[in-house]
Amino acid sequence: DAGVIQSPRHEVTEMGQEVTLRCKPISGHDYLFWYRQTMMRGLELLIYFNNNVPIDDSGMPEDRFSAKMPNASFSNLKIQPSEPRDSAVYFCASSLTGVVTDTQYFGPGTRLTVL
Amino acid sequence: GNSVTQMEGPVTLSEEAFLTINCTYTATGYPSLFWYVQYPGEGLQLLLKATKADDKGSNKGFEATYRKETTSFHLEKGSVQVSDSAVYFCALLNQAGTALIFGKGTTLSVSS
């Protein structure tokens, strides 16, 4: 298996632009997680899905952020409009079952820079 | 709610030195505890875990024991290598048992 795939790996955009980050989880994994990593706040869970349904989006910072999972093999995280404080590394992770003690497999991350 | 605190870094060691990275937690009950590692330019990988009190997780020479008396899950390795240079994250389940809560990470730098 190729593991969790994220694209793009790097994104540089200007303030006010829409940003779309993409994730393909490991096939057969029922859970998908979006995290944001910054120096100041560390690794934060933004939202997670079970069987394509958002379960907990309490970590989404504000309405500018949205995430969807239209099918079992794809999810996207959108920021519209983007702001410089959104600059961070965004990770997607997936796990096999609903048991959270199950290992989460992380993608390589997307490094977002908003100018 | 549940939370985790780990020591601030960076930790700088010479090759073959002994490593300890402290992690303490606050939780209701006895949630599973984890250590994840992030190598430069990569995503996090599970290093080890312990699912109940007094369990010891181990992997790649790293160990951590789930100690309920001290609410700790310190990461140790007897002899570090340059290749162990990475960021290490302690984590536990949230109170609902539905997601992981990560510490802020501790950067380890090992020199030869």
Side-chain angles (χ1 to χ4, degrees):
Chain A
D1 198 312
V4 175
I5 299 172
Q6 290 187 248
S7 64
R9 292 294 308 274
H10 302 273
E11 176 80 23
V12 180
T13 191
E14 293 190 346
M15 182 175 62
Q17 297 298 306
E18 178 178 290
V19 175
T20 300
L21 311 180
R22 299 175 178 81
C23 175
K24 176 178 168 54
I26 293 173
S27 177
H29 282 194
D30 290 336
Y31 280 69
L32 184 141
F33 307 82
W34 280 101
Y35 291 91
R36 178 173 67 175
Q37 184 180 43
T38 61
M39 291 291 291
M40 290 295 293
R41 301 174 67 90
L43 194 66
E44 304 171 280
L45 177 65
L46 300 177
I47 185 172
Y48 75 93
F49 296 83
N50 176 23
N51 290 324
N52 315 335
V53 176
I55 302 300
D56 184 354
D57 65 354
S58 60
M60 296 286 262
E62 48 196 279
D63 292 345
R64 297 184 297 106
F65 286 69
S66 63
K68 294 183 179 179
M69 193 166 184
N71 57 62
S73 59
F74 176 73
S75 175
N76 62 43
L77 177 68
K78 287 190 178 182
I79 309 172
Q80 167 63 18
S82 58
E83 297 182 3
R85 60 194 169 113
D86 301 331
S87 297
V89 181
Y90 291 81
F91 288 103
C92 175
S94 68
S95 65
L96 184 60
T97 71
V99 179
V100 186
T101 52
D102 195 11
T103 301
Q104 291 189 23
Y105 293 84
F106 283 73
T110 296
R111 182 173 295 277
L112 173 65
T113 302
V114 183
L115 302 174
Chain B
N2 294 358
S3 65
V4 60
T5 302
Q6 61 181 105
M7 63 187 288
E8 299 268 341
V11 174
T12 303
L13 295 173
S14 298
E15 207 165 23
E16 299 184 3
F18 184 86
L19 168 71
T20 299
I21 299 178
N22 290 338
C23 172
T24 57
Y25 66 89
T26 301
T28 302
Y30 303 107
S32 298
L33 300 172
F34 307 79
W35 278 101
Y36 276 77
V37 58
Q38 183 181 24
Y39 297 104
E42 299 182 11
L44 279 72
Q45 305 173 24
L46 178 66
L47 180 60
L48 54 84
K49 66 181 179 183
T51 57
K52 60 182 187 295
D54 300 325
D55 267 2
K56 176 186 285 188
S58 61
N59 185 25
K60 299 181 181 179
F62 291 88
E63 292 183 340
T65 301
Y66 190 142
R67 300 203 184 280
K68 61 182 179 181
E69 303 84 2
T70 54
T71 62
S72 65
F73 193 55
H74 303 323
L75 182 68
E76 297 181 335
K77 186 174 186 182
S79 176
V80 294
Q81 305 301 312
V82 172
S83 57
D84 294 327
S85 298
V87 183
Y88 292 81
F89 294 87
C90 186
L92 81 166
L93 291 180
N94 65 1
Q95 194 160 352
T98 54
L100 289 175
I101 299 171
F102 288 87
K104 291 201 169 182
T106 302
T107 300
L108 170 65
S109 179
V110 180
S111 58
S112 58

